């Protein structure tokens, strides 16, 4: 089922919807007279993408905002100690999950009843159809569980990587300009505007420098630290025998930090993945932001597509600057993110890459 949900054809159909969600979000960020908390807003963005694009729910913005707050409560308490006390995080998580499931059930029922006006098959459509193909009508509980799993998969890690991307573009304006140059050379960016019809999946996959930028963000700021695997057969590692059936944890972050193929591991350098160097070409397990082996992250192609679409919009239609004196420190728990969320001021740009003034700013500028 998941191979269909994240297939090339599915990603092609999601892309215009992803672009629309990102455009609307950047427009809202740019129209805000104050700086925004990028990490918090990126969480809202990825949640909205999951709801609108992956699941195809037509939930009004106000209701979507309430659902996001409930979802955040659920995520914040999902790993609490299982102590069922009145004011415990566990109890708050349970209550949030119940509220969330009621909201999702309502959205699923409305979706099942209203199938008109759809121009693509979303992930939930594919999930439902797959059940029918195998002679099994999915129950409402199965649909709710599948929906929650898809939201969870698309939410925290993508918000983390989106925030890291924006931070690195702020820190490295030359990288941002080089991205713009690539977009111009490929006929995607012209006179400060994205050319209509130019952002197809194959075109985006052909943006080599953009791919290097996203790879480097995920190498240096891998959202999660590692993963677990079950030992299928006994093996020896550095003189220690690891028995079959044991659970082992592997560290993505330590792998990236110690892999001998990467030079100056602490430096943000997208060109390390360029054709002249290709530092990741030697060995299978030096670079694994999405895990490795048969249990690699199923949604990795969607996550990379989302990050590329975001980078293209940032390079094409936005100007943004750090709203604090210094860049914030980074914390690694529960996922990589800035401790203060990263305060950034966004400005809208016109077709000539000039800042668009708000009505008040324009009046103030005209005052003698």
């Amino acid at each position: 089922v998941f191979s269909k949900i994240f297939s090339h054809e599915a990603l092609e159909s999601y892309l215009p919807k992803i672009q629309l969600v990102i455009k609307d979000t950047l427009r809202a960020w740019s129209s805000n007279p104050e700086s925004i908390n990028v990490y918090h807003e990126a969480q809202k963005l990825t949640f909205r993408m999951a709801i609108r694009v992956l699941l195809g729910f037509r939930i009004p913005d106000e209701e979507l905002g309430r659902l996001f707050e409930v979802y955040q409560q659920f995520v914040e308490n999902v790993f609490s100690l299982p102590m069922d006390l009145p004011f415990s995080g566990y109890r708050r998580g349970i209550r949030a999950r119940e509220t969330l499931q009621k909201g999702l059930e309502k959205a699923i029922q409305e979706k099942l009843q209203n199938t008109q006006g759809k121009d693509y098959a979303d992930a939930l459509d594919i999930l439902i159809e797959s059940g029918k193909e195998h002679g099994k009508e999915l129950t409402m509980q199965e649909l709710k569980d599948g929906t929650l799993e898809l939201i969870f998969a698309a939410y925290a890690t993508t918000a983390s990587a989106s925030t890291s991307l924006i931070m690195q573009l702020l820190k490295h304006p030359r990288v941002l300009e080089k991205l713009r140059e690539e977009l111009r050379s490929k006929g995607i960016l012209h006179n400060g505007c994205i050319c209509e019809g130019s952002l197809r999946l194959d075109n985006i996959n052909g943006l080599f420098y953009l791919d290097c930028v996203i790879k480097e963000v995920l190498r240096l700021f891998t959202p999660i630290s590692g993963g677990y695997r079950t030992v299928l057969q006994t093996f020896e590692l550095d003189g220690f025998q690891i028995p079959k059936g044991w659970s082992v944890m592997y560290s993505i972050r330590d792998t990236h930090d110690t892999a001998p193929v990467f030079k100056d591991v602490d430096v943000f350098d997208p060109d390390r993945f360029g054709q002249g160097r290709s530092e990741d070409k030697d060995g299978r397990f030096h670079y694994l932001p999405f895990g490795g082996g048969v249990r690699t992250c199923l949604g990795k192609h969607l996550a990379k597509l989302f990050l590329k679409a975001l980078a293209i919009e940032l390079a094409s239609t936005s100007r943004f600057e750090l709203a604090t004196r210094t860049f914030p420190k980074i914390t690694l728990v529960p996922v990589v993110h800035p401790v203060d969320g990263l305060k950034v001021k966004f400005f809208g740009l016109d077709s000539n890459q000039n800042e668009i003034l708000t009505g008040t700013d324009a009046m103030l500028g005209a005052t003698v």
Side-chain angles (χ1 to χ4, degrees), residues 127-353:
L127 198 63
I128 292 167
E129 284 305 310
S130 179
K132 290 177 180 177
E133 286 172 11
H134 291 86
K136 184 179 183 296
E137 194 88 25
L138 295 177
T139 65
M140 178 55 73
Q141 188 58 50
E142 287 172 329
L143 288 173
K144 286 189 291 186
D145 289 342
T147 296
L148 200 52
E149 189 176 337
L150 284 167
I151 296 172
F152 197 79
Y155 173 71
T157 52
T158 313
S160 166
S162 299
T163 306
S164 297
L165 169 66
I166 291 171
M167 183 184 281
Q168 293 314 300
L169 293 180
L170 279 167
K171 282 186 172 183
H172 304 279
R174 271 196 227 171
V175 170
L176 185 59
E177 187 50 44
K178 199 169 174 180
L179 271 179
R180 289 183 178 130
E181 287 170 11
E182 182 175 55
L183 293 174
R184 292 186 196 107
S185 69
K186 297 288 185 178
I188 292 172
L189 182 61
H190 182 66
N191 288 337
C193 293
I194 295 176
C195 299
E196 192 173 344
S198 63
L199 282 187
R200 295 185 58 81
L201 190 57
D202 290 339
N203 293 350
I204 290 178
N205 289 339
L207 296 170
F208 189 74
Y209 185 69
L210 173 60
D211 189 58
C212 293
V213 171
I214 301 305
K215 275 186 173 180
E216 182 67 343
V217 168
L218 294 173
R219 181 195 68 83
L220 203 52
F221 302 96
T222 306
I224 57 171
S225 59
Y228 292 93
R229 294 290 185 269
T230 300
V231 178
L232 298 179
Q233 63 181 52
T234 301
F235 68 97
E236 193 171 289
L237 179 66
D238 292 340
F240 294 94
Q241 194 174 75
I242 314 297
K244 177 182 178 180
W246 273 30
S247 289
V248 295
M249 181 180 180
Y250 67 95
S251 174
I252 296 172
R253 196 165 292 122
D254 288 343
T255 299
H256 289 176
D257 286 347
T258 60
V261 298
F262 297 127
K263 312 296 183 239
D264 300 317
V265 292
D266 295 327
V267 176
F268 182 77
D269 180 13
D271 288 318
R272 73 174 71 249
F273 296 106
Q275 291 175 333
R277 290 159 64 183
S278 301
E279 291 182 7
D280 62 329
K281 69 180 184 299
D282 296 322
R284 291 173 59 204
F285 297 116
H286 296 310
Y287 179 76
L288 37 99
F290 297 101
V294 294
R295 303 291 293 178
T296 188
C297 174
L298 291 168
K300 63 182 180 182
H301 297 300
L302 176 63
K304 287 176 72 175
L305 178 61
F306 178 86
L307 291 171
K308 288 179 179 182
L310 176 60
I312 289 168
E313 288 295 336
L314 287 167
S316 304
T317 62
S318 294
R319 186 173 77 77
F320 43 103
E321 60 186 36
L322 189 66
T324 52
R325 281 187 168 187
T326 58
F327 284 95
K329 291 181 179 178
I330 300 294
T331 183
L332 308 179
V333 180
V335 293
V336 170
H337 68 280
V339 290
D340 75 342
L342 186 63
K343 304 294 195 316
V344 174
K345 179 71 180 82
F346 279 78
F347 306 89
L349 297 177
D350 64 15
S351 61
N352 295 312
Q353 295 282 296

Side-chain angles (χ1 to χ4, degrees), residues 70-83:
V70 173
Y71 183 76
Q72 273 207 313
Q73 285 180 13
F74 166 65
V75 170
E76 285 168 6
N77 295 288
V78 72
F79 298 117
S80 299
L81 289 172
M83 298 171 61

Side-chain angles (χ1 to χ4, degrees), residues 2 5 11 22 30 71 130 183 243 305:
F2 286 101
I5 288 173
L11 294 177
I22 292 173
S30 297
Y71 183 76
S130 179
L183 293 174
L305 178 61

